[in-house]
Amino acid sequence: MEVDVSAASVGVRSAAQPVSAAMNADGVITAWSAGAQHLLGYVAAEVIGQDARFLLGESLSKAAQRRFAEHEPWTQVVALRHRDGRRLPVRLHAHPLLDAAGTAQWFFTATTPVSPADAGLTGGSGPDASEIKRWALEQLPLTLALFDRQGACFAVNAAVTVAMGKPAEELLGVHIGHSGPGEPMPGLEGIAEAAERVWESGETVRLEAHLRTPGESRPHAWLLTLYPVKDPDGRVCALSQAAADITEQFRARQRLGVLNEAGMRIGTTLDLARTADELAQVGSEHFADFVAVDLLESALLGSGVSTDTDTAGDPLRPGLRRVAQRSVLPGCPEAVVPVGGTHSYPEHSPPGRALATGRAARHDVDEATAAAWALGTPERAERIRDHKIHSLLSVPLRARGVPLGIAVFCRHRTPDPFDDQDLRLAEDLAARAAVYIDNARRYAREREIALALQSSLLPGRSLRQPAVEVASRYLPADAEAGIGGDWFDVIPLSGARVALVVGDVAGRGIQASATMGRLCTAVRTLADVDLAPDELLTQLDDLVLRLDREKTASDTRTATGEDVGEVGATCLYAVYDPVTRLCSIARAGHPEPMMVAPDGSVAVLDVPVGPPLGVGGLPFEVADFEVPEGSVLAFYTDGLLGNGHGPTENGYTRLREVLSRHRLPLEETCDKVTRALLPGHRNDDAALLLARTHALGADRVTTWELSTDPATVAHVRELVGTALNSWHLDELAFAVELIVSELVTNAIRYAHPPCHLRLIRGDDGLICEVSDASSAAPHLRRARTFDEGGRGLFIVAQLARRWGSRHTGTGKTIWAEVAYPECASDGSLPGSDVPGEVG
């Protein structure tokens, strides 16, 4: 006993005989009664003279220790140590007694030993623990009944009398599983066997039963617990049956199970009719006998409830289309409207009111309800009477504030009417289905828009370029949607060059397609000003950063719950020059291209990788490759390499194998590549662009180096005329010679040497190029009437089909393209000897 006492005396009192003991000021036991000996097993000779603390099985509370020190009485449930080592909880009452010298002697008494559960009942006053236990069992909200070995009830608590609707006297003697003498309760047929197992094994048995007790309109769910009541020797002396009403939990579990099943079965596709049928199927299988799903015609067309009026100015009934219906009877004989048929509900019918108010409601069907429902359609009233429909739910279908239609649930084979929980379940199912139906509507519209957008941006297969022969494939991850964020492009550039572009926007669907459209347009615009590949990607990177900032700012204003994401993309931009056969490539986080040489060997082009678009602040690098004529350049997105069928490295290997094995026309090669690398389901968009290179030989290109002598202009006109004559293009002589004169004159006057003139005989036009070492760009202006100059570029612009300038590594090039008057009958252009270079 961890307490400093000066003197004590102990006494314990039980129902059999008083139990007492005493302690002196030093905490030594000075007296021991026979009751104490009977309680703790110690005889007086063993304890008198001993320190009292050896009898304590635990420390006294702080309050008891304080009262010891202040010589005040106290009471506490204390665990004493029995002679055999057991801990024995008793309620100990301590009373201080002062002797003539003022020294405290302590006298202790104890009530009947208590269980460890009473250890919390500290304090000196209050009811006895056994009394509290009796009250607690009587007031227990669970039904509790005790049965003897013959299965007869000999005690019940108040909850049993309330649940059974009978006084306790009528329930005593009733056998387990019965509500009265000879009155077995349906649903408890196996309880007698369960009780026998309890008697034989001494183990607790739990059962779930569904019972309709007297006065109840529908069965309740009960959790029955049968457990043995044992005597101190462990023998089963009685059986206790405790029952808890778990109807609410059971129905909530049922509802949750239906909703979980609905989550897997409703909305499996983006097909509107199938989603409606899935709703009807789940409803008819679990809680309704007939389900009909009608959608508004106006919602199917993309708007809300129609507000049109008839000729008298009265509002028209909303037109509905029966999209799905299900019944427990084969063939849905309750239905008046077939699937696909159109109809409307009367304004004052239950479905009509629910559709107008947007609130779900349940109804018990009587003659008045049937008449209102069948107004204008007598056949409906006949079906209601024939099939004895007695209860219905009208649940509007709404999603994102848009009314879509209504679902009607009916009962005729199930005897119980719908209740509020059924209504809540129907609302949950309808709300889930409405979201998927609305998604299907939105998907159809978005897909139509995205397809139109994407088809307007992606180049067609018939696109021809003099520098390359191309073939391509675009395979979105969702084959049905047909849209995604990957793109490719083939862009003609000045000087018979061509730009080849492949890009990949993060994400899918219309948002990715729209972003792809903006990037594709930006690339075409930047390519038109003849930016180098690295400069073009830098400009494109800035655009993606700006788009990301705009999206972030827009997302802060959007409604809660909408997806928020960053704009991200990869891109590869290549420029091929058929005159020099050089291909300049830069890439922003995109896979490396491959080149198939004319001999069939395949090489991965080592292009320095730049950061993906949208990172910002990091440079892009250009790599130049000499491409033999007839080589095939392969550009692709990462979806082609690692589309759910293994690591990207394996995709590289398979692509190289296919490209090296099949030396076929490009269209057939595209088919073989996609079949080999995308054999089944795709989890990412994939794009492939193949380009077989052509070269413009010396018979189609001629170059002259120009001196700064103004007399050179006349000599150049003669050289150009000779070249045109050799190419059988004499009809272009006047226009071309005038253009060359103006461009060469400007170069001699304003530019820096060295200067060069180049003529390129393209497939559909003649290209004139004058290059110099000056970086100053030319400007078109309108000369005044009496100005002696300033008309050169204006004349060039009038004679050429198109013209422009581009910066080079050593200066700039001004070019102009003149269309041929007509082509040869076979589509080819004649050629002959070309004059050599002159100074």
PDB file of all heavy atoms in Angstrom, residues 156-174:
ATOM      1  N   VAL A 156     -37.791 -12.040 -18.919  1.00  0.00           N
ATOM      2  CA  VAL A 156     -37.658 -11.127 -20.059  1.00  0.00           C
ATOM      3  C   VAL A 156     -37.451  -9.714 -19.517  1.00  0.00           C
ATOM      4  O   VAL A 156     -37.816  -9.423 -18.375  1.00  0.00           O
ATOM      5  CB  VAL A 156     -38.901 -11.161 -20.973  1.00  0.00           C
ATOM      6  CG1 VAL A 156     -39.065 -12.521 -21.626  1.00  0.00           C
ATOM      7  CG2 VAL A 156     -40.153 -10.764 -20.201  1.00  0.00           C
ATOM      8  N   ASN A 157     -36.860  -8.863 -20.367  1.00  0.00           N
ATOM      9  CA  ASN A 157     -36.771  -7.462 -19.969  1.00  0.00           C
ATOM     10  C   ASN A 157     -37.896  -6.672 -20.646  1.00  0.00           C
ATOM     11  O   ASN A 157     -38.691  -7.221 -21.436  1.00  0.00           O
ATOM     12  CB  ASN A 157     -35.399  -6.878 -20.293  1.00  0.00           C
ATOM     13  CG  ASN A 157     -35.144  -6.773 -21.794  1.00  0.00           C
ATOM     14  OD1 ASN A 157     -35.892  -7.310 -22.591  1.00  0.00           O
ATOM     15  ND2 ASN A 157     -34.078  -6.087 -22.167  1.00  0.00           N
ATOM     16  N   ALA A 158     -37.952  -5.380 -20.344  1.00  0.00           N
ATOM     17  CA  ALA A 158     -39.052  -4.566 -20.836  1.00  0.00           C
ATOM     18  C   ALA A 158     -39.054  -4.473 -22.357  1.00  0.00           C
ATOM     19  O   ALA A 158     -40.115  -4.352 -22.980  1.00  0.00           O
ATOM     20  CB  ALA A 158     -38.979  -3.173 -20.215  1.00  0.00           C
ATOM     21  N   ALA A 159     -37.881  -4.510 -22.989  1.00  0.00           N
ATOM     22  CA  ALA A 159     -37.824  -4.375 -24.441  1.00  0.00           C
ATOM     23  C   ALA A 159     -38.526  -5.519 -25.146  1.00  0.00           C
ATOM     24  O   ALA A 159     -39.099  -5.337 -26.222  1.00  0.00           O
ATOM     25  CB  ALA A 159     -36.361  -4.291 -24.898  1.00  0.00           C
ATOM     26  N   VAL A 160     -38.531  -6.711 -24.533  1.00  0.00           N
ATOM     27  CA  VAL A 160     -39.213  -7.852 -25.144  1.00  0.00           C
ATOM     28  C   VAL A 160     -40.721  -7.628 -25.150  1.00  0.00           C
ATOM     29  O   VAL A 160     -41.410  -7.885 -26.142  1.00  0.00           O
ATOM     30  CB  VAL A 160     -38.854  -9.147 -24.407  1.00  0.00           C
ATOM     31  CG1 VAL A 160     -39.638 -10.321 -24.965  1.00  0.00           C
ATOM     32  CG2 VAL A 160     -37.363  -9.420 -24.512  1.00  0.00           C
ATOM     33  N   THR A 161     -41.244  -7.126 -24.054  1.00  0.00           N
ATOM     34  CA  THR A 161     -42.702  -6.909 -23.997  1.00  0.00           C
ATOM     35  C   THR A 161     -43.127  -5.850 -25.007  1.00  0.00           C
ATOM     36  O   THR A 161     -44.214  -5.957 -25.596  1.00  0.00           O
ATOM     37  CB  THR A 161     -43.105  -6.481 -22.579  1.00  0.00           C
ATOM     38  OG1 THR A 161     -42.468  -5.231 -22.261  1.00  0.00           O
ATOM     39  CG2 THR A 161     -42.658  -7.520 -21.554  1.00  0.00           C
ATOM     40  N   VAL A 162     -42.283  -4.829 -25.227  1.00  0.00           N
ATOM     41  CA  VAL A 162     -42.622  -3.801 -26.216  1.00  0.00           C
ATOM     42  C   VAL A 162     -42.586  -4.380 -27.615  1.00  0.00           C
ATOM     43  O   VAL A 162     -43.484  -4.136 -28.438  1.00  0.00           O
ATOM     44  CB  VAL A 162     -41.661  -2.606 -26.091  1.00  0.00           C
ATOM     45  CG1 VAL A 162     -41.897  -1.600 -27.203  1.00  0.00           C
ATOM     46  CG2 VAL A 162     -41.812  -1.938 -24.729  1.00  0.00           C
ATOM     47  N   ALA A 163     -41.544  -5.158 -27.935  1.00  0.00           N
ATOM     48  CA  ALA A 163     -41.404  -5.708 -29.276  1.00  0.00           C
ATOM     49  C   ALA A 163     -42.499  -6.704 -29.602  1.00  0.00           C
ATOM     50  O   ALA A 163     -43.012  -6.731 -30.721  1.00  0.00           O
ATOM     51  CB  ALA A 163     -40.030  -6.361 -29.428  1.00  0.00           C
ATOM     52  N   MET A 164     -42.887  -7.534 -28.606  1.00  0.00           N
ATOM     53  CA  MET A 164     -43.909  -8.550 -28.848  1.00  0.00           C
ATOM     54  C   MET A 164     -45.315  -8.031 -28.648  1.00  0.00           C
ATOM     55  O   MET A 164     -46.292  -8.674 -29.063  1.00  0.00           O
ATOM     56  CB  MET A 164     -43.670  -9.750 -27.919  1.00  0.00           C
ATOM     57  CG  MET A 164     -42.325 -10.426 -28.116  1.00  0.00           C
ATOM     58  SD  MET A 164     -42.086 -11.057 -29.803  1.00  0.00           S
ATOM     59  CE  MET A 164     -43.375 -12.297 -29.879  1.00  0.00           C
ATOM     60  N   GLY A 165     -45.457  -6.878 -28.000  1.00  0.00           N
ATOM     61  CA  GLY A 165     -46.791  -6.332 -27.768  1.00  0.00           C
ATOM     62  C   GLY A 165     -47.599  -7.132 -26.760  1.00  0.00           C
ATOM     63  O   GLY A 165     -48.835  -7.131 -26.811  1.00  0.00           O
ATOM     64  N   LYS A 166     -46.902  -7.792 -25.854  1.00  0.00           N
ATOM     65  CA  LYS A 166     -47.565  -8.626 -24.843  1.00  0.00           C
ATOM     66  C   LYS A 166     -46.912  -8.363 -23.495  1.00  0.00           C
ATOM     67  O   LYS A 166     -45.718  -8.048 -23.424  1.00  0.00           O
ATOM     68  CB  LYS A 166     -47.434 -10.122 -25.182  1.00  0.00           C
ATOM     69  CG  LYS A 166     -48.124 -10.536 -26.477  1.00  0.00           C
ATOM     70  CD  LYS A 166     -47.946 -12.035 -26.720  1.00  0.00           C
ATOM     71  CE  LYS A 166     -48.646 -12.463 -28.000  1.00  0.00           C
ATOM     72  NZ  LYS A 166     -48.499 -13.933 -28.243  1.00  0.00           N
ATOM     73  N   PRO A 167     -47.678  -8.518 -22.399  1.00  0.00           N
ATOM     74  CA  PRO A 167     -47.074  -8.377 -21.076  1.00  0.00           C
ATOM     75  C   PRO A 167     -46.149  -9.546 -20.780  1.00  0.00           C
ATOM     76  O   PRO A 167     -46.229 -10.606 -21.407  1.00  0.00           O
ATOM     77  CB  PRO A 167     -48.271  -8.348 -20.136  1.00  0.00           C
ATOM     78  CG  PRO A 167     -49.359  -9.042 -20.882  1.00  0.00           C
ATOM     79  CD  PRO A 167     -49.151  -8.740 -22.332  1.00  0.00           C
ATOM     80  N   ALA A 168     -45.286  -9.343 -19.795  1.00  0.00           N
ATOM     81  CA  ALA A 168     -44.296 -10.369 -19.468  1.00  0.00           C
ATOM     82  C   ALA A 168     -44.953 -11.673 -19.055  1.00  0.00           C
ATOM     83  O   ALA A 168     -44.438 -12.759 -19.342  1.00  0.00           O
ATOM     84  CB  ALA A 168     -43.376  -9.852 -18.361  1.00  0.00           C
ATOM     85  N   GLU A 169     -46.120 -11.595 -18.370  1.00  0.00           N
ATOM     86  CA  GLU A 169     -46.780 -12.811 -17.888  1.00  0.00           C
ATOM     87  C   GLU A 169     -47.152 -13.745 -19.029  1.00  0.00           C
ATOM     88  O   GLU A 169     -47.123 -14.979 -18.876  1.00  0.00           O
ATOM     89  CB  GLU A 169     -48.022 -12.446 -17.087  1.00  0.00           C
ATOM     90  CG  GLU A 169     -47.750 -11.740 -15.765  1.00  0.00           C
ATOM     91  CD  GLU A 169     -47.394 -10.272 -15.975  1.00  0.00           C
ATOM     92  OE1 GLU A 169     -47.548  -9.774 -17.118  1.00  0.00           O
ATOM     93  OE2 GLU A 169     -46.935  -9.631 -15.015  1.00  0.00           O
ATOM     94  N   GLU A 170     -47.530 -13.168 -20.187  1.00  0.00           N
ATOM     95  CA  GLU A 170     -47.921 -14.009 -21.318  1.00  0.00           C
ATOM     96  C   GLU A 170     -46.723 -14.600 -22.052  1.00  0.00           C
ATOM     97  O   GLU A 170     -46.882 -15.526 -22.842  1.00  0.00           O
ATOM     98  CB  GLU A 170     -48.760 -13.194 -22.306  1.00  0.00           C
ATOM     99  CG  GLU A 170     -50.085 -12.724 -21.733  1.00  0.00           C
ATOM    100  CD  GLU A 170     -50.915 -11.993 -22.770  1.00  0.00           C
ATOM    101  OE1 GLU A 170     -50.595 -12.120 -23.977  1.00  0.00           O
ATOM    102  OE2 GLU A 170     -51.869 -11.298 -22.396  1.00  0.00           O
ATOM    103  N   LEU A 171     -45.533 -14.067 -21.798  1.00  0.00           N
ATOM    104  CA  LEU A 171     -44.354 -14.567 -22.476  1.00  0.00           C
ATOM    105  C   LEU A 171     -43.591 -15.597 -21.658  1.00  0.00           C
ATOM    106  O   LEU A 171     -42.813 -16.373 -22.217  1.00  0.00           O
ATOM    107  CB  LEU A 171     -43.416 -13.394 -22.808  1.00  0.00           C
ATOM    108  CG  LEU A 171     -43.981 -12.330 -23.767  1.00  0.00           C
ATOM    109  CD1 LEU A 171     -43.017 -11.160 -23.897  1.00  0.00           C
ATOM    110  CD2 LEU A 171     -44.245 -12.939 -25.139  1.00  0.00           C
ATOM    111  N   LEU A 172     -43.784 -15.596 -20.349  1.00  0.00           N
ATOM    112  CA  LEU A 172     -43.105 -16.573 -19.514  1.00  0.00           C
ATOM    113  C   LEU A 172     -43.643 -17.961 -19.797  1.00  0.00           C
ATOM    114  O   LEU A 172     -44.858 -18.175 -19.884  1.00  0.00           O
ATOM    115  CB  LEU A 172     -43.277 -16.223 -18.036  1.00  0.00           C
ATOM    116  CG  LEU A 172     -42.680 -14.874 -17.595  1.00  0.00           C
ATOM    117  CD1 LEU A 172     -42.926 -14.649 -16.118  1.00  0.00           C
ATOM    118  CD2 LEU A 172     -41.199 -14.807 -17.917  1.00  0.00           C
ATOM    119  N   GLY A 173     -42.755 -18.922 -19.940  1.00  0.00           N
ATOM    120  CA  GLY A 173     -43.131 -20.289 -20.253  1.00  0.00           C
ATOM    121  C   GLY A 173     -43.216 -20.571 -21.735  1.00  0.00           C
ATOM    122  O   GLY A 173     -43.331 -21.735 -22.137  1.00  0.00           O
ATOM    123  N   VAL A 174     -43.173 -19.531 -22.573  1.00  0.00           N
ATOM    124  CA  VAL A 174     -43.220 -19.726 -24.023  1.00  0.00           C
ATOM    125  C   VAL A 174     -41.871 -20.262 -24.496  1.00  0.00           C
ATOM    126  O   VAL A 174     -40.808 -19.820 -24.043  1.00  0.00           O
ATOM    127  CB  VAL A 174     -43.568 -18.403 -24.737  1.00  0.00           C
ATOM    128  CG1 VAL A 174     -43.482 -18.581 -26.248  1.00  0.00           C
ATOM    129  CG2 VAL A 174     -44.955 -17.939 -24.338  1.00  0.00           C
TER     130      VAL A 174
END
